[in-house]
Amino acid sequence: MARPTPLSGFPEWLPEGRIVEQHVLDVLRRTFELHGFAGIETRAVEPLDQLLRKGETSKEVYVLSRLQEDPQGAPAERGDRLGLHFDLTVPFARYVLENAGRLAFPFRRYQIQKVWRGERPQDGRFREFVQADIDVVGAGELPYHYEVELPLVMAEALGALREIGLPPVRILVNNRKVAEGFYRGLGLEDVEAVLRSIDKLDKIGAGAVAELLVEEAGASAEQARACLELAGISGDDEGVVDRVRALAAVHGVTHELLDTGLEELAALVRAASGRAPGVVVADLKIARGLDYYTGSVYETVLVGHEQLGSICSGGRYDTLASDGSTTYPGVGLSVGVSRLVSRLVGGGLVRATRAVPTAVLVAVADEADRDRSDAVAAALRARGISTEVAPSAAKFGKQIRHADRRGIPFVWFPGQRGDDGAVASDEVKDIRSGDQVPAEASTWEPPTADLHPRVVPAEA
Amino acid sequence: MARPTPLSGFPEWLPEGRIVEQHVLDVLRRTFELHGFAGIETRAVEPLDQLLRKGETSKEVYVLSRLQEDPQGAPAERGDRLGLHFDLTVPFARYVLENAGRLAFPFRRYQIQKVWRGERPQDGRFREFVQADIDVVGAGELPYHYEVELPLVMAEALGALREIGLPPVRILVNNRKVAEGFYRGLGLEDVEAVLRSIDKLDKIGAGAVAELLVEEAGASAEQARACLELAGISGDDEGVVDRVRALAAVHGVTHELLDTGLEELAALVRAASGRAPGVVVADLKIARGLDYYTGSVYETVLVGHEQLGSICSGGRYDTLASDGSTTYPGVGLSVGVSRLVSRLVGGGLVRATRAVPTAVLVAVADEADRDRSDAVAAALRARGISTEVAPSAAKFGKQIRHADRRGIPFVWFPGQRGDDGAVASDEVKDIRSGDQVPAEASTWEPPTADLHPRVVPAEA
């Protein structure tokens, strides 16, 4: 078999990169559990008709067929066909409906799994990638305070990654009710058309967006200017809300939705400025997602790496799921873990202190004595020290090189029987410094920093 | 949307079951890392031609297509088509070849991932399930001692699950060289045919197998009897090897492969009887897998649940992978985690002490005071105590019931401001005993047993 080549869009890591990814996943999991989110996993597949309920995503779905399916048989009904999930929201909504009678609401869950999108891989987009989601879903109702809580949980989770070298994050928030209330109060009824235009602001600039608003959203020049002025407002304190109110007053805009939305936005920036100062920024030009979210909407950028796009997005749905009699509103955010890790590892921002879990390699003086090395290893492992035994009774220099190539910091030498029949003490060598000292497997401990591979900023 | 129903063959757990599964995965991972195995993950897909290199598995593969693929276009070449991996061995072999220049050999890796098989779900077989594999792979050569080490690592990993109620395991071992050497020494050259017949022993009995050996493997009645006598030998000490040698002497069987195989088998049972007494049993009737493994072969049963079949299997390959110039021999075992967890949870053998990570629910006396409850929660979390805040300022009885339904053991009441303006001390209630005591969020700790949900035997 010739040497295989990677598949574009399907990232894989060498062991050292996997240590970074695993660390990120462990930190996210720990933070989510600290906040009382229960972990679930859903199957990788959903019926195709469920995956295609939102038409826009249809082209991204991988459809499954069994290799031995009878090609002469009747084509499978769409409802019988299975596709790989392209996010964790659709499966979660299905899981909630399927198990509603056995879950306690509001239900807080986290879910860390791979998702697949059959897109052409480009611009750092993957076809297979890991997402880490948190959501709270209620039965019938879900208080607004969860829209404040969830981005702060994510801020804490991502903040916990700063010690390994993740740049600080900024969570940009907007609120569908503010935008919709402002546009309607201004007399613009085609809210989706306004949002589509505003969404192009960063790409095409204010002048072109103003033209779009006139052409496609039926805005007058003054209405267009008001929309652009709203989009220009941002900040991390309640002054933002005051500026929106002032702008509304200038344009004579009043609308119940606007008032509700501004109260909500004020509560969010107020709580955030206390609990995660500087992290949450209200940014009224955020329009992506406002067409399907119904309240708060979140995007998250790495400060200094804004061109990477949002690494964590989400928002509030009034109807995450519905079974006809009960509606389940939800709010949640999703971290694109693969994109993040790809940036951390590929961008050389972080490294693992070694590529293996092993702290100690026990040398073997003679294959006939392998039992003694095995016994040393067992004694070290019994106290939580990751240990392996040398692959062969090669010269000690070669065994030390074996450890060195893997970054294993310590090599252990079981004491040899001397000519007088007495067995010498075991010794352990720190192969970085060359220091070698007598040691007993039942008591010796490596420095805490060497016990496990650690993930650290690349310059450390 | 109507209430969805589960998909047969795609198991999913409620949060409590997921805690059990996660615990099993954590224990496996911890044990593997303690033994110096590096974790890797491979993508879920492989090129179809790679998946189909062993013809026998072809009917199990799920093939992917993109929903929007042009049906008028040229049909994709087989080499361009992707399928979901059906085990972790094929992807690992590909990963080794792809990254050979960047890995240090012998390379020890563990891999815990889902695999998919498009089989008709029956007899407890799943279409999607989690496997946990360990393998050691060498470049060019791989010493036999790894064939001794790896089943003992698995014995330790599965043994660590006994404290949650997993029954003891028995690892049944055989060796391709013993079987092949014995059959060839006996004058039977169609080794595969003999193995296929012996493999049916449990199903059809000795008489029918003797007939098969005559009809399909060209054996005489005496050769057939000798094969059955070999298959009847089992035991957990070196006496097994003596009995095989005695049988060979009776039938005048000598063969170099037999001698090598018996030395290897002896080394395995000798090491195992010291390090995991009673766990490893040589069983000369184990024939499954001997057709593709080249040395040791392993199967694992739960004692008392043998009808469940093997929960952990593997063996030695002389050629796990090859790039034409270098051959990579390997030895490994794979645990069927989903089958195990399904038995533990579905069979009512284990339970989680609660279904959520949360140890403390902080009550909310008034929505206007939610900030104070949030601050208590933050102080508890800062010391590693999983905490959530009540969803609403309902009557305290309702908030306590909210905790009770989730199994959250403690409810925290922030002190109220009295008529005299003084703020009373916070109090925390153990809702199981009803005990309520004054407490400070900066110092209070729950009993260790309540800090995290624990997985325990069901009767505990």
Side-chain angles (χ1 to χ4, degrees):
Chain A
M1 177 181 176
R3 185 174 154 200
T5 49
L7 278 179
S8 178
F10 292 89
E12 283 184 342
W13 304 111
L14 286 168
E16 188 182 338
R18 173 61 184 168
I19 287 175
V20 174
E21 182 176 61
Q22 186 69 64
H23 179 82
V24 170
L25 296 174
D26 287 346
V27 167
L28 294 175
R29 172 181 163 194
R30 193 163 57 238
T31 308
F32 299 159
E33 292 185 348
L34 208 45
H35 286 260
F37 290 82
I40 67 164
E41 280 206 349
T42 57
R43 63 195 187 218
V45 302
E46 297 294 333
L48 200 53
D49 56 354
Q50 287 306 307
L51 292 173
L52 301 183
R53 286 170 69 203
K54 295 186 200 165
E56 48 161 343
T57 54
S58 63
K59 65 172 170 296
E60 302 179 347
V61 175
Y62 277 119
V63 184
L64 300 191
S65 54
R66 283 182 295 113
L67 189 60
Q68 302 298 312
E69 254 167 36
D70 180 3
Q72 303 304 317
E77 293 294 317
R78 201 188 230 203
D80 293 337
R81 292 175 71 196
L82 300 176
L84 294 176
H85 57 218
F86 54 82
D87 71 7
L88 301 177
T89 304
V90 171
F92 176 55
R94 189 264 312 155
Y95 180 95
V96 165
L97 285 183
E98 188 175 316
N99 298 296
R102 293 173 288 178
L103 300 174
F105 294 96
F107 176 49
R108 304 160 73 85
R109 84 86 174 80
Y110 75 90
Q111 191 169 350
I112 300 177
Q113 288 186 249
K114 287 186 177 155
V115 304
W116 294 269
R117 297 186 187 176
E119 295 177 340
R120 208 163 274 282
Q122 54 187 0
D123 312 324
R125 288 196 186 183
F126 295 127
R127 290 177 164 182
E128 173 180 76
F129 53 100
V130 178
Q131 287 195 331
D133 284 25
I134 52 172
D135 284 271
V136 176
V137 60
E141 53 166 17
L142 187 73
Y144 174 74
H145 61 76
Y146 290 112
E147 291 174 60
V148 178
E149 179 186 359
L150 264 69
L152 292 174
V153 175
M154 276 298 188
E156 188 175 319
L158 296 168
L161 292 170
R162 288 197 60 182
E163 67 181 39
I164 66 162
L166 187 76
V169 299
R170 183 173 297 134
I171 302 181
L172 309 174
V173 304
N174 196 358
N175 190 302
R176 160 87 189 196
K177 293 170 189 164
V178 172
E180 178 169 352
F182 187 88
Y183 304 150
R184 289 197 189 280
L186 205 55
L188 294 170
E189 293 302 323
D190 190 350
V191 173
E192 265 70 29
V194 179
L195 290 170
R196 272 199 307 277
S197 306
I198 293 292
D199 191 34
K200 300 200 168 80
L201 197 50
D202 281 344
K203 254 188 214 154
I204 63 176
V209 167
E211 283 172 33
L212 269 185
L213 285 166
V214 171
E215 285 163 24
E216 303 202 353
S220 69
E222 195 197 328
Q223 287 171 324
R225 199 172 61 244
C227 291
L228 284 166
E229 285 170 347
L230 179 70
I233 294 176
S234 72
D236 65 359
D237 61 28
E238 289 183 76
V240 165
V241 172
D242 297 335
R243 297 216 292 287
V244 176
R245 286 213 171 92
L247 179 69
V250 166
H251 292 278
V253 169
T254 58
H255 199 282
E256 204 188 333
L257 261 184
L258 176 62
D259 293 335
T260 309
L262 284 175
E263 275 168 39
E264 294 184 352
L265 198 58
L268 178 47
V269 294
R270 189 165 55 230
S273 67
R275 288 162 60 181
V279 171
V280 172
V281 175
D283 186 341
L284 280 294
K285 80 167 177 297
I286 299 289
R288 203 178 62 176
L290 282 188
D291 48 341
Y292 47 91
Y293 291 117
T294 53
S296 300
V297 60
Y298 318 104
E299 292 194 6
T300 310
V301 293
L302 292 177
V303 175
H305 301 259
E306 287 79 2
Q307 80 294 350
L308 195 60
S310 178
I311 55 152
C312 175
S313 309
R316 154 101 188 198
Y317 287 103
D318 280 340
T319 310
L320 176 73
S322 171
D323 60 11
S325 62
T326 307
T327 292
Y328 298 89
V331 55
L333 293 97
S334 175
V335 185
V337 175
S338 298
R339 179 181 285 204
L340 199 64
V341 172
S342 166
R343 188 67 179 183
L344 288 172
V345 175
L349 295 174
V350 309
R351 65 177 179 89
T353 53
R354 58 182 185 259
V356 293
T358 320
V360 180
L361 178 79
V362 183
V364 176
D366 186 309
E367 279 302 329
D369 281 344
R370 178 169 291 276
D371 281 3
R372 287 192 53 216
S373 299
D374 285 338
V376 167
L380 291 171
R381 288 183 199 120
R383 292 184 300 109
I385 301 164
S386 174
T387 305
E388 54 185 283
V389 176
S392 73
K395 288 186 179 158
F396 282 157
K398 192 174 171 194
Q399 297 191 44
I400 291 169
R401 278 198 301 282
H402 178 89
D404 192 36
R405 268 203 310 278
R406 286 160 176 75
I408 300 173
F410 295 97
V411 176
W412 191 284
F413 300 98
Q416 301 300 300
R417 187 175 298 276
D419 293 337
D420 59 355
V423 176
S425 166
D426 288 8
E427 299 203 339
V428 63
K429 180 195 279 286
D430 182 331
I431 66 171
R432 297 159 301 189
S433 64
D435 291 348
Q436 184 165 333
V437 295
E440 278 188 40
S442 58
T443 55
W444 177 85
E445 298 211 351
T448 306
D450 288 329
L451 188 55
H452 301 291
R454 286 170 302 116
V455 177
V456 295
E459 68 271 18
Chain B
M1 176 179 177
R3 185 173 154 200
T5 50
L7 278 180
S8 178
F10 291 89
E12 282 185 342
W13 304 112
L14 287 167
E16 187 183 339
R18 173 61 184 167
I19 286 175
V20 174
E21 182 176 60
Q22 186 69 64
H23 179 82
V24 169
L25 297 174
D26 287 346
V27 167
L28 294 176
R29 172 182 163 195
R30 191 161 61 237
T31 308
F32 299 159
E33 293 184 347
L34 207 45
H35 287 260
F37 291 82
I40 68 163
E41 280 206 349
T42 57
R43 63 195 187 218
V45 303
E46 297 294 332
L48 199 53
D49 57 353
Q50 287 306 307
L51 291 173
L52 301 183
R53 285 170 70 203
K54 296 185 200 169
E56 49 160 345
T57 53
S58 63
K59 65 174 172 291
E60 301 180 348
V61 175
Y62 277 119
V63 184
L64 300 191
S65 54
R66 283 181 295 111
L67 189 61
Q68 303 297 312
E69 255 166 37
D70 180 3
Q72 304 303 316
E77 293 296 316
R78 201 188 229 202
D80 293 338
R81 293 175 69 196
L82 300 176
L84 294 176
H85 57 218
F86 54 82
D87 70 9
L88 302 177
T89 305
V90 171
F92 176 54
R94 188 263 313 154
Y95 180 93
V96 165
L97 285 184
E98 187 174 317
N99 299 296
R102 293 174 288 178
L103 300 173
F105 294 96
F107 176 50
R108 305 159 73 86
R109 85 87 174 78
Y110 75 89
Q111 192 171 348
I112 299 176
Q113 287 186 250
K114 287 186 178 157
V115 304
W116 294 268
R117 298 186 187 175
E119 296 178 339
R120 206 161 275 283
Q122 54 187 359
D123 309 326
R125 289 196 186 182
F126 295 127
R127 290 177 165 183
E128 173 181 75
F129 53 100
V130 178
Q131 286 196 330
D133 284 24
I134 52 172
D135 283 270
V136 177
V137 61
E141 53 166 17
L142 187 73
Y144 174 75
H145 62 75
Y146 290 113
E147 291 174 59
V148 177
E149 180 186 359
L150 265 70
L152 293 174
V153 175
M154 275 298 187
E156 189 175 318
L158 295 168
L161 293 170
R162 287 196 60 182
E163 69 181 40
I164 66 162
L166 187 75
V169 298
R170 183 174 297 136
I171 302 182
L172 309 174
V173 303
N174 196 358
N175 190 300
R176 161 86 187 195
K177 293 170 189 165
V178 173
E180 179 169 353
F182 188 88
Y183 303 150
R184 290 197 190 279
L186 206 54
L188 294 170
E189 294 302 323
D190 190 349
V191 174
E192 266 70 29
V194 179
L195 290 170
R196 273 199 306 276
S197 306
I198 294 292
D199 192 35
K200 300 200 168 83
L201 198 49
D202 281 344
K203 253 188 214 155
I204 64 176
V209 168
E211 283 171 33
L212 270 185
L213 285 166
V214 171
E215 286 163 21
E216 304 201 352
S220 69
E222 196 196 325
Q223 287 171 324
R225 201 173 58 243
C227 291
L228 285 165
E229 285 170 348
L230 180 70
I233 295 175
S234 73
D236 64 359
D237 60 30
E238 289 183 75
V240 166
V241 172
D242 299 334
R243 298 215 291 286
V244 176
R245 286 212 171 93
L247 180 69
V250 166
H251 292 278
V253 169
T254 58
H255 200 282
E256 206 187 330
L257 262 182
L258 176 62
D259 293 336
T260 310
L262 286 175
E263 274 168 40
E264 293 184 353
L265 198 57
L268 179 46
V269 293
R270 192 167 51 233
S273 66
R275 287 161 61 181
V279 171
V280 172
V281 175
D283 187 341
L284 281 293
K285 77 167 180 295
I286 299 291
R288 203 178 61 178
L290 284 188
D291 48 339
Y292 48 91
Y293 291 117
T294 54
S296 300
V297 59
Y298 318 104
E299 293 196 4
T300 310
V301 294
L302 293 177
V303 175
H305 302 258
E306 287 78 5
Q307 78 294 349
L308 195 61
S310 178
I311 55 151
C312 174
S313 309
R316 154 100 187 199
Y317 288 102
D318 280 340
T319 310
L320 177 75
S322 172
D323 61 10
S325 62
T326 306
T327 293
Y328 298 87
V331 54
L333 292 97
S334 175
V335 186
V337 176
S338 297
R339 180 181 284 205
L340 200 65
V341 172
S342 165
R343 188 66 179 186
L344 289 172
V345 175
L349 295 174
V350 308
R351 65 178 179 87
T353 52
R354 58 182 186 256
V356 293
T358 321
V360 180
L361 177 81
V362 183
V364 176
D366 187 309
E367 279 303 328
D369 281 344
R370 178 168 289 277
D371 281 1
R372 288 192 52 217
S373 299
D374 285 337
V376 168
L380 291 171
R381 288 184 200 119
R383 293 183 300 108
I385 301 165
S386 174
T387 306
E388 54 186 282
V389 176
S392 72
K395 288 187 179 156
F396 281 158
K398 193 175 172 193
Q399 297 191 44
I400 291 170
R401 278 197 301 282
H402 178 89
D404 191 36
R405 268 204 308 278
R406 286 158 176 76
I408 300 172
F410 296 96
V411 176
W412 191 285
F413 301 97
Q416 301 301 301
R417 187 174 297 275
D419 293 338
D420 59 356
V423 176
S425 164
D426 288 8
E427 300 203 341
V428 62
K429 179 194 280 285
D430 180 333
I431 66 170
R432 296 158 302 187
S433 65
D435 291 348
Q436 185 165 335
V437 294
E440 278 188 40
S442 58
T443 54
W444 177 85
E445 298 213 350
T448 307
D450 289 329
L451 188 55
H452 301 291
R454 286 171 301 118
V455 177
V456 295
E459 67 271 19

